[in-house]
Each structure stands twice: as C-alpha cells, then as structure tokens.
C-alpha cells in the first residue's frame, strides 16, 4: 500500500465522523421543524437544513472519492510503495491524521458558533441571544483552530520535515 491508500482510509474515517456529527446536528433540524426555532428563538428552517446537509454532503464526497482527495494532498514523490515506511512518511501521515482530527472539531465548532451568531442577530424574535465577550473570544479561537487545522492538512509534509530537523 502507498501513503495515499493509508490517507484515503483516514479520509473515510473522517467521513464517518462527519456523519456522526450530522446525526447529532439533526436534532437541531428536528427542533426547528417541529417548533419553528431553537429554545424559543426563531431560526429559519433553511439554516437548520444547511447545518445538516453541508457536513453530510462533504462526508458523502469524502466517502466516495477518498483516493482523489488523498492524491491531491499527498505529493507524487511521497506516494511510493511502502516496504517499510520512512520516518518522514510516517510522520507526514501522523500529522495529517492530527490535522483531520482537529479539522473535525473545528468544523463542528464553526457550525455551532454560526448557529449561535445567526440566532443572536434575529430581529424578528422577541428575545435575542446575547453573545458576550467570552463567546466572541471563543469564536475567534474557533477561527484560529480552523486555520491551524487547514494548515496542518495542507502543509503536513513541511511540518513533519521541521519536526525531523533536530540538528539546530
């Protein structure tokens, strides 16, 4: 097996995690469809549908096209048949795994904060949700977390190379 095959397996595991997240997020959709909002806050049904369908569509794409995604991330010079894997290749796959793990939580946190942000600006509700300084700081932290996860996935080879450079 080549590194793209191993990474494709990780991508499918990530797709499974996204489906599990979608199942959790579907409770919001059910609440919006049955009561017209979330805990007496008016939320458009379209927003609830998007928060469920976006992760589901991404999960389906990742499930059906893991080799395409894997081949686009792992460079061709790294994609050699593995007898024993070299340390940089193993480390690159591990950094990618950590990046995908962090990306999963960053995406779920982003959907959570977008939902709360949309609810806080609802002008048609009698009582709007107040987002204090702590919530805004958590939103900024989520953006940084999302950027770091994308950086880890996009630059896993560079990060693993820096980790192996121990002679400084």
């Amino acid at each position: 097996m080549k590194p793209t095959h191993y990474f494709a397996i990780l991508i499918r595991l990530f797709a499974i995690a996204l489906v599990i997240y979608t199942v959790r997020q579907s409770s919001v959709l059910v609440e919006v469809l049955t009561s017209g909002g979330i805990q007496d806050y008016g939320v458009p049904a379209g927003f609830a549908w998007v928060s469920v369908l976006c992760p589901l569509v991404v999960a389906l794409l990742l499930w059906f096209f893991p080799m395409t995604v894997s081949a686009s991330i792992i460079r061709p010079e790294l994609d050699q048949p593995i007898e024993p894997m070299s340390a940089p290749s193993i480390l690159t796959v591990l950094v990618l795994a950590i990046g995908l793990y962090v990306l999963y939580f960053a995406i779920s946190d982003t959907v959570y904060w977008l939902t709360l942000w949309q609810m806080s600006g609802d002008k048609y509700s009698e009582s709007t949700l107040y987002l204090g300084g702590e919530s805004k700081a958590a939103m900024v932290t989520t953006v940084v977390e999302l950027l770091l996860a994308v950086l880890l996935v996009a630059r896993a080879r560079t990060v693993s190379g820096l980790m192996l450079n121990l002679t400084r």
Side-chain angles (χ1 to χ4, degrees), residues 117-136:
W117 183 53
Q118 191 275 335
M119 288 171 50
S120 70
D122 189 10
K123 296 178 178 80
Y124 303 107
S125 177
E126 293 177 7
S127 60
T128 59
L129 183 66
Y130 173 72
L131 295 176
E134 185 178 329
S135 297
K136 291 176 184 173

Side-chain angles (χ1 to χ4, degrees), residues 43-111:
V43 176
F47 186 79
W49 277 107
V50 167
S51 68
V52 171
L53 290 179
C54 282
L56 184 62
V57 167
V58 170
L60 289 173
L61 288 173
L62 291 176
W63 182 262
F64 288 112
F65 303 107
M67 288 301 294
T68 305
V69 174
S70 180
S72 69
I73 294 175
I74 295 181
R75 303 205 182 234
E77 63 268 9
L78 278 178
D79 196 25
Q80 303 300 322
I82 299 173
E83 277 82 46
M85 265 179 93
S86 65
S89 296
I90 291 172
L91 197 54
T92 300
V93 170
L94 289 175
V95 169
L96 284 170
I98 291 170
L100 286 174
Y101 179 77
V102 172
L103 186 64
Y104 165 72
F105 286 107
I107 289 172
S108 59
D109 287 349
T110 301
V111 170

Side-chain angles (χ1 to χ4, degrees), residues 102-114 134-150:
V102 172
L103 186 64
Y104 165 72
F105 286 107
I107 289 172
S108 59
D109 287 349
T110 301
V111 170
Y112 171 77
W113 287 115
L114 285 174
E134 185 178 329
S135 297
K136 291 176 184 173
M139 286 181 185
V140 170
T141 305
T142 299
V143 169
V144 171
E145 180 184 17
L146 187 62
L147 292 174
L148 285 174
V150 169

Side-chain angles (χ1 to χ4, degrees), residues 2-60:
K2 295 182 177 183
T4 51
H5 295 109
Y6 288 111
F7 189 57
I9 291 169
L10 288 174
I11 288 171
R12 282 207 166 158
L13 289 173
F14 180 67
I16 292 169
L18 274 178
V19 168
I20 292 169
Y21 171 75
T22 301
V23 169
R24 279 191 356 213
Q25 191 67 18
S26 65
S27 66
V28 172
L29 177 64
V30 169
E31 186 175 359
V32 168
L33 292 177
T34 57
S35 66
I38 300 172
Q39 296 179 356
D40 297 330
Y41 291 103
V43 176
F47 186 79
W49 277 107
V50 167
S51 68
V52 171
L53 290 179
C54 282
L56 184 62
V57 167
V58 170
L60 289 173

